[in-house]
Amino acid sequence: MEIVKSQQDGKVVFTLTGRLDTNTAPEFQAALLSVFDGDKYVVLDFAGLEYISSAGLRVLLLGEKTAKMKDSAMSLINVREEIREVFEMTGFTDILKIV
Amino acid sequence: MERRRGGRAGIRHKILLVVLGMSVVSLTAYCAATFWGLFSIRAQMEQSSARLGEFASENSSAFLEREAVDKLMTKALGRAKFINERLSVIAKDAVYFADLTTEIYKNSGKLFPVPVPYSMTVNSGALTMQLKSVGGPADHPRIRREAELLGNITSAFISNSSDMGEIVISLYLGTESGFSVKYDAFSNDDNATFDPRARPWYIGAKERGGAYWTAPYIDASSGKSIVSVACPFYGPDGKIRGVAGIDVAIAGLNSEIVNADVGEGGYAFVVDSAGKLISSRWLEAQEWFDEAQNAFLENNPWYDDVMNKVRHGSGGFERVATASGERFMAYSPIEETGWSVVTVLPVEEIMALVVENSAAIERMTMEAVGRVNTTIRFMLAFFVLMFALAVSGIAYLSGKLSGKITNPIVTLESVLERIAGGELDTRIDIRTGDEIERLGGSVNRMAASLKEHIDDLQRVTSEKERIGAELNVATKIQASMLPCIFPPYPHRTEFDIYALMRPAREVGGDFYDFFFIDNNTLAMIVADVSGKGVPAALFMVIAKTLIKNNAQSGKRPGEIFESVNNMLSENNEAGMFVTAFMGFLDIPSGKFTYVNAGHNPPALRSGGRYELLKVKPGFVLAGMEGIKYAEGEITLQKGGELFLYTDGVTEAMNNGKAMFGEKRMIEAVNKYSALDLREFAESVKGEIEKFTDGAEQADDITMLALRYRGGDMDELLIEAVPENLSRALVFVEERLNAAGFPAKQLKRVSIVVEEIFVNIANYAYAPEKGMAALRVSVAGEEAIIAFEDSGKPYNPLEKKDPDIRAGAEEREVGGLGIYMVKNMVDAAHYRREGDKNIFTVRKRLAQGDG
């Protein structure tokens, strides 16, 4: 998986490509949770994300929880259909801010 | 029994009414008869009283009249006799004085002259001898000698003075010489005018020559109404010298005689022979005038008629109508004077008695009638009272009586009510000695036999219930004897098997069975015991047990049936038999060796459609000893399917007695062949039920379906660490991709594989490490993925599902993986086998999204 972190209009944008699974989740988790210390607005661009397992869901839940705790905001953009189905199946559509 | 008690005229009421009605009618009739009798008695009494009164008054008036007349007659006679006596004595006195005077004349020479003074007024009021002469004292010398001679009568006169008074008032001698010597109380100075020879008594006596009574006249000297009796006396020559006389005062007669009591309103009077009144209470001396007599006669025209009778009769009786009313008159002659005494009594006085008498009778009659009326009134009151008493008494008694009759009925009713309410031990105790007691006895017997019957029924019912319960248990036992957990071998990816039996009754004679003979050989049996119910079930148990035991002893199918047949035939006194089909599946090769004992041929699907397998029928088990059973053999291709069944399927009948038949069965199994086996079997059963459409199931329905996948599963044996996840995913994805699973489904399967693999790594082994085996098999449209590891036992399916509705803050981090697995596969199964965890998931190929 490829994780690209960029700044855009005062927001941190992570652009994910490939699979967010057991093996790639720790890397993304570290990258994601670190940005909440300084940045208030985090955008996850899932346009290139084709797979997510429960490990990836765990990172998103932790990210959301951290954002709430640190008074920041995390939003997801360009979520693919199959990923959205997983969110719906697990109730994550109610938790995450999916644009 | 409100009802019961309500508005309804009970027997008691009815009896009361009947008895009361009868009593009232009979009492009324009795009273009416009695009163009719009383009234007719009264009427008769009144009638006879009236007759009696009439008769009595008639009789009594006649009697009274007779008596009155008798009394009247007696009084008249008595008066007449009395007067006659008196007058006769007076007349005798007159005769005596005359005789004495005659004697004086005869003895004139011997007698001394006794001078008698001339009458003087001064002497009036006392009895005095006095002389009167025609010519007065001047004439005295002429008469002196004779007068002094007659003075000798003085002593006789005076000696008689004691008899003088009210009646005899004067004694005297009148002479031919014209003088008279008197002895009375009426002296006066008029001595010259009185000439005795002119007086009627003198003339009458002289004419008669004996005693003579005059008619009444007014006495010149006394002025009284008198009658005189006179008798002549004679000289020695026999020539009349004079007349001796006695005056009788009528007033004296009146007071002494005539005025004597005749009766109230009655009176008496005396008449002379001429019919002239001599004595009467109306006639005082001074009133005695002819005018008065004439006036009386004018006023009483009856008098003459009566007097004619009186004068000529010797006595009698008359009823006379006078101006003042009817009178009874009785008359009786006074012989001395020729007079008559007449007694008079007003008829009304007698009739008053009669009237009084009949009034008394009438009064008495009325009193009697009154008493009868009183009696009737009393009787009426008595009857009213009696009636009231009788009616209330009868009401009370008949109330008691009807109570006596109805109380047992009421008791009976309440007892029956209680018996009907289920109190069957209730007994009635009525001792009336009549039908009701017998009825009570019948009720008691009824309750007793009812209780007996109910007890019997309860016993039978409880027996039935017990049997039912036991049958229920038997059904459960039977069900538990048949494999009923599906999938039975979730870890065996080479085949699927599903079976069902629906018994026609609680316990059935059909059975199916499948079991491993060894790791690679699966035996499957479908059988049908003749008959149904408990006997068939028992026989089925024996048959099933024998088959399984024999099968597990390493025998071939034919040998198994042979030996089971012999065993069952041995003591088959019930004459039961079993049709059975049995096959051994060699799992790795798909070789299916079968044997048939008179059972329906199975349907086989190899490739396209189900078709009936052509098998030798064979002979039924338990029919006869020593039968040989020929084996048949086919080889199942991957994806090949077998459908075993009993005749309950093909012979299922609808209400039109049409059978489901093999044709419909083949259609049904082909129709549902794409479904997994459970759905497949249930759907076929649904077709049968649709066909029979509620008709009673006549026979057990049994189906067994086998789907063969083949034994060659691809296996990947790798160390269960996250680093190997990619290899595992590639292994699975490659095979499913080859089987035609679309990319979308593949991604889901990947998530499933990752989650399970990570689970094994993180939970089963961690912190150690171990191996995991992944096997993939795709048969038909279903993929089976099995995971096997030797780590700690864990069953992820037991984990509670995470709350997917919770907000981010409350969300648990764990549990999501297994949750996704359950949601993404068609079936997930975990089992611990030895020291291994075996987790199997099945995923069916889905067209489109899946």
Side-chain angles (χ1 to χ4, degrees), chain B residues 515-536:
Chain B
F515 47 85
F516 278 100
I517 289 168
D518 55 52
N519 201 34
N520 285 325
T521 310
L522 178 72
M524 64 199 77
I525 304 120
V526 168
D528 180 2
V529 178
S530 63
K532 293 177 282 286
V534 174

Side-chain angles (χ1 to χ4, degrees), chain B residues 572-789:
Chain B
N572 184 14
E573 284 163 11
M576 304 192 81
F577 62 87
V578 185
T579 69
F581 179 92
M582 179 173 71
F584 283 9
L585 174 67
D586 181 56
I587 294 165
S589 67
K591 193 175 76 182
F592 186 71
T593 309
Y594 60 85
V595 63
N596 190 14
H599 200 79
N600 305 55
L604 171 69
R605 177 173 177 258
S606 60
R609 293 175 57 82
Y610 272 106
E611 278 170 14
L612 285 178
L613 183 65
K614 290 189 179 2
V615 298
K616 286 186 178 173
F619 194 67
V620 296
L621 300 174
M624 190 196 299
E625 277 183 75
I627 301 288
K628 303 283 182 198
Y629 293 89
E631 289 175 2
E633 190 180 292
I634 54 168
T635 301
L636 292 176
Q637 304 301 314
K638 271 193 174 182
E641 289 168 356
L642 265 173
F643 178 68
L644 278 55
Y645 57 91
T646 59
D647 58 6
V649 174
T650 51
E651 291 170 12
M653 267 192 286
N654 66 10
N655 287 317
K657 301 290 173 198
M659 292 200 286
F660 190 60
E662 290 176 345
K663 197 178 162 217
R664 283 192 189 87
M665 183 189 74
I666 294 297
E667 277 172 17
V669 292
N670 279 316
K671 185 176 174 184
Y672 300 110
S673 62
L675 299 175
D676 86 347
L677 291 185
R678 178 191 292 268
E679 287 169 7
F680 165 78
E682 295 294 340
S683 299
V684 171
K685 191 171 76 131
E687 283 290 312
I688 297 167
E689 282 163 1
K690 204 163 88 183
F691 173 77
T692 56
D693 191 26
E696 198 194 353
Q697 185 185 339
D699 203 354
D700 303 338
I701 292 173
T702 305
M703 296 179 226
L704 187 149
L706 174 79
R707 178 172 288 160
Y708 178 67
R709 302 175 184 282
D712 51 342
M713 285 185 90
D714 294 342
E715 188 178 279
L716 173 70
L717 192 62
I718 50 173
E719 196 179 22
V721 289
E723 293 74 35
N724 283 335
L725 176 61
S726 299
R727 285 180 60 198
L729 287 173
V730 167
F731 171 76
V732 173
E733 280 169 10
E734 269 177 2
R735 274 143 194 86
L736 264 61
N737 194 33
F741 277 74
K744 240 177 159 178
Q745 278 198 315
L746 283 181
K747 276 203 182 121
R748 294 190 176 184
V749 173
S750 296
I751 293 172
V752 170
V753 173
E754 178 185 332
E755 302 297 344
I756 295 168
F757 190 80
V758 170
N759 246 324
I760 292 168
N762 292 347
Y763 295 104
Y765 286 121
E768 280 84 38
K769 290 178 182 171
M771 298 300 287
L774 271 74
R775 295 192 195 91
V776 177
S777 162
V778 182
E781 294 176 339
E782 192 180 57
I784 297 176
I785 306 160
F787 301 82
E788 193 181 297
D789 66 82

